[in-house]
Amino acid sequence: MNLSNQFYTEKRGFIRMRMETEAKLKALGCSEGNHTLTSMSVKCINLSSTGVLLESKKSLTEGSLLEITIPSEREDFPDFIAEGTVIRVTQKPTDELYEVALKIDKIM
């Protein structure tokens, strides 16, 4: 099937890879509202070369600098570790979870 035949236009610059896996967040500075965040577990929903969409039980502050670690499932492949900035936080209407968009600033 030729992609040009589809009735779908991708507006993103990079494809998002669906993950649905656990990840860890760690604060990289003392930003307002997140000064007590040392480490927390989140769910990684999807990943692209420029960002990560997370699901969190806690709200995070836009502009916060965080380190994200997505553990590898294979011993011979290292964990994914990156530094990023929170660019959007949205509470999900059906439950008490938050969607957090993290822009990747640097891959470690």
Side-chain angles (χ1 to χ4, degrees):
M1 175 202 261
N2 186 342
L3 290 178
S4 63
N5 293 337
Q6 294 182 352
F7 296 106
Y8 170 74
T9 303
E10 176 61 61
K11 296 181 181 169
R12 298 183 188 277
F14 298 95
I15 302 291
R16 294 216 169 235
M17 180 174 59
R18 194 148 182 83
M19 304 259 330
E20 299 280 338
T21 189
E22 294 299 313
K24 293 278 187 200
L25 288 182
K26 181 172 75 171
L28 290 178
C30 191
S31 59
E32 185 179 328
N34 284 341
H35 60 277
T36 59
L37 172 69
T38 54
S39 180
M40 67 183 278
S41 293
V42 293
K43 183 189 234 180
C44 179
I45 302 300
N46 64 45
L47 172 69
S48 80
S49 63
T50 59
V52 183
L53 181 64
L54 307 169
E55 188 175 80
S56 171
K57 293 179 182 177
K58 295 181 182 178
S59 179
L60 297 171
T61 305
E62 289 182 22
S64 297
L65 300 175
L66 303 172
E67 178 181 276
I68 182 168
T69 301
I70 302 172
S72 174
E73 293 181 1
R74 295 178 41 178
E75 278 186 29
D76 57 334
F77 196 75
D79 295 346
F80 175 82
I81 303 172
E83 292 179 1
T85 304
V86 176
I87 59 171
R88 184 180 67 250
V89 179
T90 309
Q91 185 168 11
K92 296 175 90 176
T94 57
D95 49 30
E96 297 195 16
L97 296 173
Y98 297 87
E99 282 190 346
V100 178
L102 187 69
K103 178 179 70 82
I104 295 174
D105 298 321
K106 179 168 73 169
I107 297 174
M108 310 302 277

